[in-house]
Amino acid sequence: MTKAIKLLTALPPPQRQALMSLAREVAFAEDARIFEPGGTADRFWVIRSGAVSLDQRVTPVQRVTVASLGAGDLLGWSWLFPPFQWDFGAEAFSPVRAYEFEAESVLRLCEEDTRLGMTLVRYVAEILAHRLEMTRGKLMEQYGHRRSVL
């Protein structure tokens, strides 16, 4: 099983400092929608405090939480992959403070510092792999049990 990676603590100090030079502190009130599926993914966040739920709309009125994120977690990866649209929605589960990064500035920095670019992409990929594994486990737990009942 993969381990949970905290992006900012995983980056070596020189790369972390370069990335943090682009950070802007933001806050979201409890229940604030941070982004919606299909919206333009032009930024990402690292959560400093609070909790965020990632959700998927299953009907026009029903959303299902697919992950819960907290301090140190990366929020948003769609900024890195075409078509640069959010795959999920995100909502502040509690008051949230976060570092916000504009994708265009980060991508430009990654082109200038290819070591940072490769390191960042590698850690984002590890974070995605871990979340996929956790989601798979939750699905197996939820639907695997149901199958045995049938």
Side-chain angles (χ1 to χ4, degrees):
M1 175 174 265
T2 60
K3 63 179 181 167
I5 301 240
K6 304 294 184 184
L7 181 66
L8 294 180
T9 56
L11 287 171
Q15 281 107 12
R16 181 174 47 248
Q17 289 171 353
L19 183 62
M20 288 304 295
S21 72
L22 302 176
R24 180 173 80 97
E25 292 187 34
V26 297
F28 300 101
E30 183 176 351
D31 297 329
R33 290 298 291 174
I34 300 169
F35 54 82
E36 294 288 347
T40 301
D42 59 357
R43 63 197 64 241
F44 67 95
W45 301 265
V46 174
I47 300 169
R48 295 179 59 212
S49 65
V52 172
S53 60
L54 292 178
D55 56 52
Q56 183 67 55
R57 189 175 295 277
V58 292
T59 69
V61 294
Q62 183 185 13
R63 293 184 180 120
V64 173
T65 298
V66 295
S68 296
L69 307 177
D73 285 333
L74 172 69
L75 172 60
W77 60 75
S78 298
W79 61 276
L80 195 52
F81 307 104
F84 309 107
Q85 294 180 329
W86 299 118
D87 291 318
F88 299 98
E91 185 170 314
F93 187 71
S94 68
V96 171
R97 291 183 1 194
Y99 293 117
E100 181 178 80
F101 300 87
E102 291 184 7
E104 185 177 325
S105 299
V106 172
L107 292 171
R108 190 172 28 248
L109 178 63
C110 289
E111 287 177 6
E112 294 168 5
D113 181 349
T114 55
R115 186 171 186 187
L116 169 62
M118 286 300 298
T119 303
L120 185 63
V121 168
R122 188 180 101 217
Y123 284 129
V124 170
E126 286 186 39
I127 291 166
L128 289 174
H130 175 74
R131 290 193 188 158
L132 181 60
E133 206 169 289
M134 298 304 293
T135 301
R136 190 185 91 186
K138 285 180 185 177
L139 288 172
M140 293 297 289
E141 193 176 285
Q142 184 173 358
Y143 294 105
H145 174 64
R146 217 180 258 177
R147 179 177 288 182
S148 64
V149 174
L150 296 177

